[in-house]
Amino acid sequence: MRDDARPLAVFDLDGTLADTAHRQRFLEGPRRDWAGFFSAAVDDPPLTEGVRLARSSAEECEVTYLTGRPERCRKDTLAWLARHGLPEGSLRMRRNDDRRPARRTKLEILKRLGQEREVRMLVDDDELVCDAAELAGFTVVRARWAQVSPAVKDAQERQGRT
């Protein structure tokens, strides 16, 4: 079967495939250190349940990664995916200057993907992204296997950062 005929399995990174617990400290307190937060992503341990799901999904689907990380993190993110043996797939990232909430940026990209191909599922840890995707008719797997701090949740929704 040609890849462009296979359905897509769309995976978030932070909190879904990558454990961000060690870098959440950069977002706590009155001054958030975004450069530190994103540069520390190279050291994220993989989340076993998410990685297993991505690998098994690759048997029937083309895996696509959809993250709120800014485009400037592309090189490190691709290296992280390869280092942890995740399936090859396209990587959709936030523009460096895009500060819209994750539920808007991700849904916009998801809808675009859905016009071109069948989206079999979205796997994401952000409840608001999941809610928006379900309302738009997508099948969602809620990644509830990692602890996400309130600072990261705020960054996803109010600050348009991850």
Side-chain angles (χ1 to χ4, degrees):
M1 179 182 287
R2 288 186 5 236
D3 268 359
D4 63 354
R6 296 171 68 195
L8 297 174
V10 181
F11 283 81
D12 171 50
L13 293 176
D14 295 336
T16 300
L17 298 173
D19 186 349
T20 63
H22 74 101
R23 59 185 168 111
Q24 292 178 13
R25 63 186 164 83
F26 290 105
L27 302 183
E28 295 165 357
R31 292 189 53 105
R32 295 183 174 177
D33 178 4
W34 291 106
F37 179 77
F38 287 120
S39 68
V42 298
D43 297 321
D44 288 354
L47 290 165
T48 304
E49 193 166 341
V51 170
R52 185 178 2 199
L53 184 57
R55 288 178 181 154
S56 67
S57 295
E59 294 172 12
E60 293 184 16
C61 299
E62 179 181 331
V63 172
T64 296
Y65 301 100
L66 175 57
T67 181
R69 292 181 188 182
E71 185 65 40
R72 69 181 177 273
C73 299
R74 178 171 292 277
K75 182 180 173 187
D76 287 344
T77 301
L78 289 170
W80 186 92
L81 290 166
R83 185 169 59 251
H84 294 290
L86 280 133
E88 288 188 22
S90 64
L91 173 61
R92 311 292 174 124
M93 303 184 87
R94 179 191 297 273
R95 288 187 331 264
N96 288 330
D97 63 346
D98 188 346
R99 299 290 191 266
R100 292 175 296 155
R103 67 183 180 277
R104 290 199 181 108
T105 58
K106 287 185 174 182
L107 188 61
E108 181 181 290
I109 294 168
L110 200 58
K111 285 180 177 179
R112 204 172 321 127
L113 290 171
Q115 290 173 347
E116 301 165 9
R117 305 265 291 279
E118 173 196 347
V119 175
R120 173 81 44 94
M121 67 178 159
L122 167 69
V123 184
D124 203 300
D125 68 316
D126 184 327
E127 294 293 335
L128 295 175
V129 169
C130 292
D131 291 347
E134 284 178 338
L135 280 172
F138 293 97
T139 299
V140 172
V141 174
R142 293 175 188 257
R144 293 182 172 145
W145 43 79
Q147 287 269 342
V148 179
S149 76
V152 170
K153 286 182 183 181
D154 181 61
Q156 289 172 325
E157 294 310 318
R158 215 171 49 80
Q159 298 188 17
R161 292 287 192 145
T162 70

